[in-house]
Every structure is written in C-alpha cells, then in structure tokens.
Amino acid sequence: MSHRVGVVRFPGTNCEFDTIDAIRTLGGDAEVLWHADPSLKKVDAVVIPGGFAHGDYLRCGAIARFSPVMESVAAFALNGGPVLGICNGFQVLTEAGLLPGALQKNVGMKFLCSMQQIEFVSTENILGKGSTVGDCINIPINHFEGNFVCPPEALAELETQGQIVFRYTDNPNGSTRDIAGICNKDGNVVGMMPHPERATSALLGSTDGTALIQSFLTA
Amino acid sequence: MSVAPEDASVHRALGLSDEEYEHIYELLERHPNHLELAMYSVMWSEHCSYKSSKIHLKRLPTDAPWVLVGPGENAGVIDVGDDIAVAIRIESHNHPSAIEPYQGAATGVGGILRDIFTMGARPIAVMDPLRFGPLDDPRSRWIAEGVISGVSGYGNSVGVPTVGGELVFDETYKGNPLVNVLAMGVLPAERLVLGQASGVGNLAILLGASTGRDGIGGVSVLASAGFDENSEDADKRPSVQVGDPFEEKRLLEACLELLDEGLVSGIQDLGGAGITCATSETASRGGAGMDVDVSAIHSREEGMEPFELMTSESQERMLAIVEPQHLERVLEISAQWEITASVIGRVTGNGQLRILNGFDGEVLAELPASTLHDDAPEYDRPIAPPDDLDQRRLTDASQGPVDCVENLLALVCDPSWVYRQYDHQLFLNTVVGPGSDGTLLRLRHPTSGNETGRGLALSTDGNHRWCYVDPYQGTKMVVAEAVMNIACVGAYPLAVVNCLNFGNPEHPEVMWQLSEAVDGMSEACIAFNSPVVGGNVSLYNETNTVDIAPTPVVGVIGMHPTLSEPPPSIGLPPDSPLLLLGQEAGPDASMGGSRWAWEIGGCKDGSLPTFDLAQAVRTAALVAESVQKQRLEAVHDVGEGGIAVAVAEMAIETGVGARLDGYDNHISMFNESGGRVLVVVPSDALEEFLEEAANKKVTAQVIGRTGGSSLEFGPTVKVPLDVLTAASRNKLPEALGQGTISA
Amino acid sequence: MHFEVRIEVSPRDGIANPEGSTIERALPALGFEMTGNVRVGKVIRLQVEADSVDAAQSLVEDMCNRFLTNPVIEDALVEVLET
C-alpha cells in the first residue's frame, strides 16, 4: 500500500496520532494536516480524527468547519477523494455539509466510552472492501454527542441510497435507526462515531478495525 | 518600631497567626505592607507550605537509584529505561469539590496535568480515587454526579485518558468528599525540565488564560479552612475556579513544543497561590531573584488590585523562563496555539522578589524570594491517640445481622457506570483499563512511539475503615493492596505517590493518625522497595468539627517487564481449581475495619486482622511473575468485602460460577485480612504451581473449583449468578443514573 | 448604531432533546408538578454595529444560519435592542 493519508489536526483534536499510528501499523503512511493550512500536501486520502476540535464549543464541529483546511477537504471530497470522519470528525463533516444530519447528545445524557458491536449495512463505500453486509464487528465508541438525527426526507434517502454504513446492534446513545456511520451518495465520504483506530491491536482488545482501515488505505 | 502591627486584624483575617507575623517582621526587618502580607499568607497556608505535616513526611523513604526527581518538585520522576522517564503526581481537590463539584473536579484534573507537563512530560494517564457520602444522601449523590461529570468533561476534552481510580461511599465523607487525582506522563529522559529560574536577564513569560478574580484567596479560604453549617455555599462561591479544558489542551501542546525546541530554561505551572508561588519558587530554586511587573499580567477584569493579580488562582496558566534571544520564537509558537503570552518578569541576581508597577515603576513589594517557602513555619503539633483507643480495639466487630447471601448482594457494586464516562483508551496504550485490579499501559517511547515490549502499571488505593481502626497497620495494608493490584497485571512496584487526606491538624488525634500512617507507609514502602517520589497533604477535612476517617491514598507505579499478551482477566474460567494465595486468615479472623462490620454490622471499632507484610511481599512477587509467565487463567486481589466479594466479581465478569468449601460463614466470607490474592491455574499445572508457591514461602491453598451458574460458599450459602450480577450492575445506575438532584 | 442582541437557540420541533427529556423525568421525581415538553436550548448575547434595526436583524440572522445554529436541529429567535 502506497497510500499517503493526511490526518487533520485542529486545536483540541486528540486522536490524530493514534490514527496515524494505526495507519502506519497497517502499512500506510500518514502525516498531520494543520487546520490553518489549506494545503492537503497531495495526500491520497484524508481522515478527520476524533477529539474536541475547538473545545467542541458552540456545537461539536461548528467552529472547525470554518478552518482553512476544510475548504480543501470539501473540494477533495467533491472530486471523489476518500474522506473518513471518525467521532468528532463525523460531527465536523455534518456541520460542513459533507454528510447529512447532525449528532446531538446521547439520550442517557452521559459521555460513553465502551466497546460496541456494529453491523455493516452497506459495503459500497471506502470502508467496505473485504467486508460483507451483515458482518458484525467490535469497535469502541467514545462520545457525548453520538446521537444521530436527520430530517425524515434525508433519512429516507440515506436508507434507499445505501448510505447507512453501520448500525449498532445494541443502540447505546439513542441514535436514529441505530445509525453508527453513514456515507455520501458516492461512498467516498464516510462518517462514523466508533473509533476503528482503537481496534487494531490484540494486546488492546480488538483487531476488528483493521479491515476498515485497510479498506480505506486502498480506496 | 515594634513587632506588633498597627492593625492586627489584617494578618489574622488573612489566616496568619501573630507568631507568623512576627516571623515575617524578623525576615523583612520591617512591617510588611498588605501586598507582602497577602503573598506570605498564601504561601504559608497549610495547602502550600505543608507546615503541619512536613516534620512527619521526612520519615518517608524517598531514594532509589531509579529516582530522578523526588518529592518537592512539581512531580516525581523515575527512570524506566530505554531513555524514558516517567513523571507522576497525585493531588487532592477536596474542598473545591465540596462547594462546586463539577468545577472542583475539573480544575483538579487540570492542575495535576500541568504538574506533569511542567516536567517536560506528556500526560498519558489520569486516575481518580473518589470518595463520597452515602448513596442514600441526596446531596452526596449530587456531589458524586457532579464530580464524575467534571472528571469526564475536563479529562476527555483535554485529551488525557482516565484509566482507573476508586469509588467509595461512606458516611464519613458526607460533608467532605475526597477528590484525589493522579496523573502520569512520559518524557525522553534527557528532556527533564525543572521549575527553575536562572540566568540574570532571562524573561519570565506568563502563558495561557488571563488572570481573573477567580480563586482569589482560594488557597487559604478553600483549602485551609473547615466548613461549618451556615457558610457552606454562599460566601465561598466567589472564589470558585472555572476550568477550560480547551485552553489547557492548547497550553499543553504549546508548552511541549517549547520544550521540544529547547526554548525554555525553566517552567512552572500556576496552581495554589498563583503568580506569587510560581515566581518565588522558580527564583529561589534557581538561586535567583525576580522583578515582576503586575501591569504586564494579562487580566480578565478591569481594575484588579496587585494583591489580586499576585494571588489569583485562575486556571490554565504557566510561567516559562526564557532567554531573551528565544522570545520571538516563543511568541510564535504561542500564537500558533492561540495562547496569550506576556513577559511579566525578569530574572535578577539579588535573590529578591520585587513586585513592580511597570518594570521601571513603583516598587509595590520586595522580599527575599526564598523566604516565601524556605522560611515557612513548620509545626510539631501535639499528638495523642484517642482516649478510648484500647477499649475500641477490644470491641468484637463480627456482631450484626448475618445473612450471608443478602450481605454479599449488599456489598457487590459494579463501577462501570462511572468509568464508561471516561475516555480510558486514548493514546492506544490501555491493555487493562478501569474495572480490574491494576491498570496496565503499553510503554512506548514518548517521541519515537517505539514499543519497548514492556508495560507500566498503576493502582490507587486507600481504605479509611482500616486506617480508622489502626492508621499504622491500615496504611501498611493499603500500600500492600496497591502493590498486589499491580502484581495482578504482572508488574513489580517502582515508586509510590501519596495523598494524605486527614482531618483538622489542630486535633491531636488527627496528628496521631497522620504520624502513624506515615510510619506504616514508610515501613511498607521499604518492604516493597518503592520510594515515595511525591505527594500531597490535604488537612482540615472535617464537617462541623467532625474529622473524616483518616484516608491516606497511595498511587503505585510498577513495571511489567515482558508485555506481549494481555494479562489474565479477573473472570473465572470454567472447571478449574480456585486458589487462595497469601496468609491464612483462620476461622476467627478479626472483622475490625471490614466493610461488613461498618456497613452491615454497624461497628466501626475493633482491631484489624493480623498482617504479615513479609509474606505480602513474597505473594506479590509470585503473582507478578506468574502473570508475566502466563501461568494463570484468572487472578484477582482480595480487598474490601473479603474473599466473597472478590470471587463474586470474578464470577460476574465471565458468568461462570464456583463452589468453595467451608466459606459459609460471614467471617470467612467477608474478613479483610491483607495480602491475599485469588488465582485460577489450569488443572494440569496445579501441582507445579503449589510446589513453586511452597518454595517461595507463599501459603497457597485450593479453596474451591470454578464452574456452574451459581456461587456456593458451602452447602448452605448459595447465590445464583444472575441475581448476583443484577445486584452488582444495578446499584450505581439506580442510585446515580436517575438524573441529578442538587440539594 | 450600536445594538444589543439576544439570540435564543432552541431545538427544532420534532427533534429529540435529551437534556429536556432528562429534566422532564427528574422534575416529578422531585415532587414538582409539570405538564411536560421541557426543551433545553441556549442563549447567546452579543453586540453589533448596524445602520438600522432591520440591518442588525438581518446581520444576526445570517450569523445564525451560517454559524451560530445548526439548522438541521436548531431554530433561532433573534431579539435586537438599540442601546
């Protein structure tokens, strides 16, 4: 795999180096893209990683979407470039309008960090290569605002267009229709609340994220 | 000129005694002005000066070849090999959390993290030992919920995983919760930075949040005064500090970048006593002086008085000592991270700390920098054991409403409702997270990220019941418990940090508890070859003059030398022999200090069971080695609630039961004899294991066999696992999960 | 002219509001009678310079649409006061 991945770093991002570690462990190459620099440094794919970009102040992702790098990410995505938003990155992508819907507070009104089982609903996207619809995998979640909401028309469209990528098998946060991850119509932009980079080591408890990152690296 | 000031009410209001005032007069050879008095008062408060405890803390062992920095700096630092050093510290935020639980806990996390990155280390782990009043008290629930949310809200957002801790509910903490926070960080060994200012002409740069009126006098008002009924909230609220994890995150990244580029010659966080403490400590550690320009301090509010600027405890600030030629680059990095940076001081050579209004302006205060801490008073306060101690120890603590199954159901409690709210996986190091005995993290080089094939283990432990019954032996058992916890994840101990939570030091009984605890800790640390590398003392933990039960909390850090596979879980596998390691308790073990006695029997007296420290040392070594060599199928330390609670936790974990023989009475089930561990070994390895235990002089006995869907302690005591599991898992969500009730 | 602005951000009708629901459950448990439908939003206060009330209003509405609210889940009520 000769893929070079750019991992966006906003002030307050905290999963950027974990994501880079996981990508490198799986044979990819990765580097940081500073939010204030519009250049994507000719990377082949972009990850917007987890964390608390700009402290999650105002709303998760609300300030981050205005960072200079995001215009370039949007253009890259429109050109079919692979873009993966993980957790806070998913929130940023919805705020930026690259994915529909929004993520609000968990129904239990608590932050949740736990291992969660999710099921592949569609594999026609940058994470699905090598997986089959119906595959169940264990990936940790780590969020307060992971409760996906979406206007009914947009939701119907997500369902009919195969844009729901993952559902929780045991909904932890009240997310509409158990949605854990979605993609855009072309499948090149994916947002998911669970953290695949946290499931890439047997020593740490799960390697189920490996297939997703490997798929991403060949997208 | 006389020693007595014109108006004695000023220094008294600031919390300085007449004797302390006289001492200041002698040091300055004149009367101090109000600003100077304010500075002495915050620096000589109990919180900053340890004036009541210092004399005892000197008895703790602090040296070992691997100790790079011992007590007295911002954090202890040890060498863990492969050019990696580890910084570790524990601190209390008890009084602020009693007033505003969320912010109290949040700023506690923020403060301890700054202590770690001040040393040049990236913080990679937080642990939070928490103690609250009983769950049936609505206000205690409100405090618990707020504190837990504060740790979660700040820790998660600032981006440091909370990887373990403790959760204790007891009447003794009803008006006075204990919120202790431990943080650990890693740094390249060669980058160790100390909080020193040297080099005349170097600049002192204040980095981070602007200085506001929050926490003015917080040190003396919040941390050094007990609470009484009427003043509980209202008049103390103005000094509550508010935490901003996003500011802290940017400050952390900026400071680590400054250190990476070698731009600072010293750095110091601003905690208690704010700028006064940071400027005087850096100057006197470096054998220098400093001119501080109060007009250069970036402030949040208009019209702040110099004494407010100098003592404010506004959060998320650091003081960096920088050579003038690096100033420009320092300002650049600060701007990149959107951190405000102001040059507020200049290092001088005369040892004087001068507070000025403009570097060439009026001198507002001038005092020898070192007098603020080196000359702080030190008290040898009266010590006396409680009058009724002998009588208390004769009490039989085994009496009470015995119903073994019901008692067990009352004592099990799954804490996952709490730790699920904490990010405990960030940085991809967490091999064993919260909810087990010890925490185990992969050890990787902080800059290269290279794996060392080794792991760092952490555990925090305290036990107010043991320490109330016998602070000396209780503290020994606490240290042993912490070491045993890390042994269960395969680690041997390297060092200890402590947080000594006690009542009012003006009560001779409290000073006796403190002194006894220090002696017990000292003895145990020597036995486990683990020096104390840092600590914190929190006194005046009392409500309406009733002191809390003494609660020394220790954090132990240890090393797993060969980490390639996760250690065995606590969960029972089916159909294997269950063994108890460690000293035999016997059928008439004392129940004094046990959870059963306190929570079910209603008896707080009695004496502790006998404790064999030497055997505990051998047991911990055997357990750690067996875990490292992957010889065990399951392992769990026996702590609060005795063997019954320990085996219940093991059974709940995997849904596999066990049958024990001859443990069907409350004494054998619930006694808390120290230094014991439950292990499961494969049947075919049993003989070999027993032989090895015998060789290592560790008592080992097969006490039962795993399997089935219930837990049996003998023919008459049997509990189905589903009942046990429900009792354990539902307890916290039912008590705390139903929304917040604030009064 | 100088205007003081108060923006009330509230969850859109039909969008679940976990904070509101939690309070709704807690109030009766504390013995407070209520009829339901608790919604929790937030209030933002700021100052703007504009030529008229209408100009200030439209400036702030623009801020809301682009930044201060997320129209997928939130509505804004803008109140402009001359100072």
Side-chain angles (χ1 to χ4, degrees):
Chain A
M1 280 173 270
S2 61
H3 242 64
R4 270 180 64 240
V5 180
V7 179
V8 176
R9 185 184 207 193
F10 302 99
T13 297
N14 62 32
C15 296
E16 67 274 44
F17 296 110
D18 291 0
T19 307
I20 289 174
D21 273 353
I23 289 169
R24 287 185 181 155
T25 306
L26 297 174
D29 193 9
E31 62 186 289
V32 168
L33 300 176
W34 180 243
H35 79 114
D37 181 352
S39 165
L40 296 189
K41 299 183 183 171
K42 301 202 168 84
V43 294
D44 305 308
V46 172
V47 177
I48 305 182
F52 291 73
H54 295 277
D56 274 357
Y57 292 151
L58 190 59
R59 291 182 310 281
C60 305
I63 301 174
R65 66 168 281 216
F66 291 103
S67 281
V69 76
M70 286 308 295
E71 253 180 67
S72 313
V73 171
F76 180 77
L78 284 177
N79 271 326
V83 176
L84 170 61
I86 300 168
C87 195
N88 194 224
F90 184 11
Q91 295 160 348
V92 173
L93 291 176
T94 60
E95 280 284 340
L98 291 172
L99 289 173
L103 292 138
Q104 58 166 0
K105 289 196 167 97
N106 300 339
V107 282
M109 286 305 292
K110 294 287 172 209
F111 190 98
L112 282 178
C113 177
S114 64
M115 188 63 89
Q116 213 67 41
Q117 191 182 59
I118 56 174
E119 181 184 359
F120 254 111
V121 182
S122 160
T123 54
E124 300 293 308
N125 55 67
I126 51 171
L127 298 188
K129 193 185 280 185
S131 297
T132 309
V133 171
D135 282 357
C136 286
I137 53 179
N138 289 315
I139 312 272
I141 58 165
N142 188 64
H143 59 246
F144 204 145
E145 289 91 357
N147 177 353
F148 182 80
V149 289
C150 192
E153 326 78 67
L155 186 65
E157 205 171 299
L158 285 176
E159 296 270 12
T160 56
Q161 305 279 323
Q163 288 176 246
I164 296 170
V165 181
F166 302 110
R167 285 192 215 277
Y168 300 107
T169 56
D170 183 10
N171 192 337
N173 55 25
S175 187
T176 307
R177 308 234 180 133
D178 307 324
I179 288 172
I182 60 171
C183 63
N184 65 351
K185 287 201 177 68
D186 293 332
N188 67 308
V189 179
V190 171
M192 63 189 295
M193 290 313 297
H195 284 256
E197 84 279 10
R198 293 188 177 191
T200 55
S201 159
L203 188 59
L204 304 182
S206 170
T207 54
D208 287 358
T210 305
L212 310 187
I213 294 175
Q214 272 165 345
S215 167
F216 178 68
L217 288 175
T218 54
Chain B
M1 220 169 168
S2 81
V3 172
E6 274 175 40
D7 181 1
S9 68
V10 178
H11 70 256
R12 287 179 195 157
L14 285 168
L16 290 164
S17 68
D18 292 350
E19 295 71 31
E20 287 168 346
Y21 185 92
E22 279 174 36
H23 191 38
I24 295 168
Y25 179 89
E26 284 158 16
L27 288 166
L28 297 180
E29 296 173 351
R30 61 176 167 81
H31 287 292
N33 63 33
H34 285 185
L35 174 57
E36 289 162 343
L37 262 187
M39 291 165 70
Y40 279 107
S41 82
V42 290
M43 289 300 293
W44 287 10
S45 69
E46 189 66 58
H47 180 77
C48 286
S49 71
Y50 297 96
K51 57 191 170 189
S52 300
S53 55
K54 222 190 291 182
I55 194 165
H56 299 289
L57 299 178
K58 287 172 184 164
R59 299 199 300 274
L60 292 167
T62 58
D63 281 333
W66 54 90
V67 174
L68 299 176
V69 178
E73 278 276 351
N74 294 292
V77 182
I78 56 172
D79 184 349
V80 295
D82 291 319
D83 299 317
I84 306 169
V86 168
I88 185 166
R89 180 170 170 90
I90 189 168
E91 227 176 34
S92 63
H93 237 218
N94 304 338
H95 293 126
S97 303
I99 292 169
E100 169 38 60
Y102 185 98
Q103 293 299 342
T107 54
V109 174
I112 194 86
L113 293 178
R114 288 191 295 283
D115 283 323
I116 298 300
F117 67 81
T118 293
M119 305 303 288
R122 176 175 285 279
I124 61 164
V126 163
M127 307 267 284
D128 60 345
L130 305 176
R131 292 174 163 75
F132 305 110
L135 277 171
D136 60 13
D137 169 37
R139 187 174 165 85
S140 293
R141 289 202 300 269
W142 176 72
I143 292 176
E145 170 109 30
V147 164
I148 292 161
S149 299
V151 172
S152 163
Y154 198 101
N156 297 347
S157 175
V158 77
V160 181
T162 300
V163 296
E166 287 175 281
L167 183 65
V168 176
F169 298 95
D170 193 287
E171 194 70 29
T172 193
Y173 307 118
K174 194 166 173 178
N176 195 316
L178 298 186
V179 176
N180 295 173
V181 195
L182 175 148
M184 192 259 281
V186 288
L187 68 152
E190 77 278 1
R191 199 178 68 185
L192 184 59
V193 196
L194 299 179
Q196 290 187 352
S198 52
V200 173
N202 283 352
L203 307 173
I205 303 179
L206 182 64
L207 300 166
S210 50
T211 300
R213 286 198 173 91
D214 41 353
I216 299 285
V219 165
S220 49
V221 176
L222 287 181
S224 303
F227 295 126
D228 53 59
E229 197 81 62
N230 299 324
S231 69
E232 204 165 340
D233 289 354
D235 52 21
K236 282 175 182 168
R237 198 157 271 162
S239 54
V240 166
Q241 310 138 31
V242 175
D244 179 352
F246 181 47
E247 179 81 33
E248 175 107 337
K249 170 70 172 167
R250 295 185 341 267
L251 185 62
L252 184 164
E253 296 298 341
C255 286
L256 290 179
E257 215 164 303
L258 296 178
L259 292 162
D260 270 341
E261 293 194 19
L263 299 171
V264 299
S265 52
I267 192 161
Q268 171 81 26
D269 71 303
L270 276 76
I275 296 174
T276 301
C277 181
T279 53
S280 64
E281 275 195 9
T282 47
S284 69
R285 280 200 196 117
M290 195 178 290
D291 281 356
V292 177
D293 174 9
V294 284
S295 71
I297 297 169
H298 47 281
S299 59
R300 196 189 311 143
E301 295 168 64
E302 303 253 323
M304 284 182 68
E305 296 289 329
F307 86 85
E308 293 176 315
L309 291 163
M310 288 303 294
T311 62
S312 160
E313 293 186 356
S314 290
Q315 297 288 303
E316 290 96 22
R317 298 178 301 161
M318 297 284 282
L319 188 76
I321 310 299
V322 172
E323 291 175 27
Q325 72 267 23
H326 295 318
L327 176 62
E328 198 179 329
R329 182 64 189 139
V330 170
L331 296 179
E332 248 173 56
I333 290 174
S334 303
Q336 186 206 330
W337 286 103
E338 299 166 34
I339 288 295
T340 310
S342 309
V343 177
I344 66 156
R346 287 181 190 154
V347 178
T348 60
N350 58 10
Q352 293 290 103
L353 178 64
R354 298 201 305 165
I355 311 305
L356 310 162
N357 186 11
F359 279 118
D360 300 317
E362 185 192 354
V363 177
L364 305 173
E366 177 165 7
L367 37 88
S370 62
T371 59
L372 286 169
H373 32 109
D374 295 353
D375 290 302
E378 195 171 303
Y379 295 128
D380 189 1
R381 294 192 186 273
I383 286 182
D387 294 336
D388 58 351
L389 183 64
D390 291 342
Q391 198 191 331
R392 267 169 43 183
R393 288 192 171 163
L394 290 173
T395 308
D396 176 5
S398 69
Q399 303 301 309
V402 177
D403 177 334
C404 290
V405 170
E406 283 308 310
N407 296 167
L408 177 59
L409 295 177
L411 291 175
V412 288
C413 179
D414 175 359
S416 63
W417 184 87
V418 174
Y419 66 72
R420 269 192 329 204
Q421 298 180 45
Y422 305 148
D423 181 351
H424 49 264
Q425 299 172 322
L426 186 68
F427 300 144
L428 307 186
N429 293 323
T430 311
V431 179
V432 179
S436 288
D437 289 307
T439 291
L440 183 63
L441 306 173
R442 291 199 281 187
L443 173 61
R444 296 189 293 160
H445 192 278
T447 46
S448 70
N450 291 340
E451 291 203 42
T452 59
R454 298 182 293 137
L456 288 175
L458 288 168
S459 177
T460 58
D461 287 277
N463 191 311
H464 63 286
R465 293 177 290 266
W466 298 347
C467 294
Y468 176 79
V469 168
D470 184 343
Y472 169 71
Q473 190 190 316
T475 307
K476 275 204 285 191
M477 287 167 62
V478 164
V479 175
E481 162 113 14
V483 171
M484 214 59 88
N485 280 332
I486 64 163
C488 289
V489 294
Y492 58 85
L494 289 171
V496 167
V497 288
N498 62 30
C499 197
L500 303 176
N501 306 281
F502 287 82
N504 187 336
E506 293 152 39
H507 300 165
E509 183 181 326
V510 168
M511 286 312 294
W512 172 78
Q513 292 167 339
L514 177 73
S515 173
E516 292 281 296
V518 165
D519 287 337
M521 187 175 296
S522 207
E523 193 180 320
C525 288
I526 290 167
F528 286 109
N529 197 21
S530 299
V532 175
V533 296
N536 170 246
V537 181
S538 173
L539 301 176
Y540 297 97
N541 291 291
E542 57 179 344
T543 308
N544 299 327
T545 75
V546 178
D547 295 304
I548 61 159
T551 316
V553 170
V554 296
V556 168
I557 181 166
M559 172 66 64
H560 185 312
T562 52
L563 178 60
S564 56
E565 284 180 65
S569 93
I570 70 167
L572 293 178
D575 203 27
S576 293
L578 176 68
L579 283 75
L580 177 67
L581 307 182
Q583 78 182 101
E584 221 162 339
D588 22 87
S590 172
M591 294 295 279
S594 67
R595 253 185 90 196
W596 188 93
W598 279 48
E599 293 178 12
I600 289 163
C603 172
K604 299 186 174 178
D605 297 327
S607 54
L608 292 178
T610 55
F611 176 58
D612 179 350
L613 177 60
Q615 169 146 214
V617 172
R618 298 193 297 271
T619 306
L622 174 67
V623 169
E625 193 191 331
S626 304
V627 170
Q628 287 157 21
K629 295 187 171 161
Q630 301 286 334
R631 284 184 183 152
L632 307 179
E633 291 188 295
V635 56
H636 193 24
D637 165 71
V638 178
E640 294 183 353
I643 286 174
V645 167
V647 74
E649 288 166 352
M650 297 175 85
I652 290 167
E653 179 74 14
T654 39
V656 173
R659 206 183 68 231
L660 280 66
D661 305 312
Y663 280 83
D664 50 357
N665 63 76
H666 72 293
I667 295 182
S668 56
M669 284 175 76
F670 302 115
N671 91 76
E672 296 180 10
S673 296
R676 297 182 300 168
V677 178
L678 289 172
V679 299
V680 178
V681 297
S683 298
D684 56 4
L686 178 61
E687 284 311 312
E688 198 189 338
F689 186 83
L690 289 173
E691 204 170 300
E692 183 173 355
N695 287 340
K696 300 213 158 131
K697 297 193 173 61
V698 173
T699 309
Q701 43 182 329
V702 177
I703 63 164
R705 198 159 179 90
T706 68
S709 59
S710 63
L711 205 49
E712 292 178 49
F713 293 88
T716 56
V717 181
K718 180 173 174 178
V719 52
L721 278 192
D722 51 352
V723 173
L724 190 61
T725 303
S728 174
R729 298 215 166 127
N730 295 342
K731 207 161 283 170
L732 283 184
E734 276 173 8
L736 289 169
Q738 305 296 316
T740 318
I741 297 171
S742 67
Chain C
M1 290 193 304
H2 194 72
F3 296 95
E4 185 75 34
V5 182
R6 184 180 178 282
I7 304 155
E8 187 185 308
V9 181
S10 50
R12 288 185 70 168
D13 286 341
I15 292 285
N17 184 230
E19 249 164 312
S21 314
T22 304
I23 293 171
E24 206 167 303
R25 284 194 304 274
L27 281 173
L30 288 172
F32 291 105
E33 279 190 42
M34 46 106 48
T35 54
N37 205 20
V38 179
R39 312 285 284 168
V40 177
K42 61 191 158 200
V43 169
I44 301 170
R45 291 174 188 279
L46 47 84
Q47 294 86 40
V48 294
E49 287 292 334
D51 293 336
S52 65
V53 175
D54 285 351
Q57 180 85 22
S58 97
L59 174 67
V60 175
E61 278 172 7
D62 193 30
M63 283 180 196
C64 288
N65 288 333
R66 291 186 54 209
F67 179 49
L68 296 178
T69 69
N70 180 346
V72 176
I73 47 171
E74 294 169 332
D75 285 326
L77 188 72
V78 175
E79 212 180 310
V80 175
L81 298 167
E82 198 174 335
T83 51

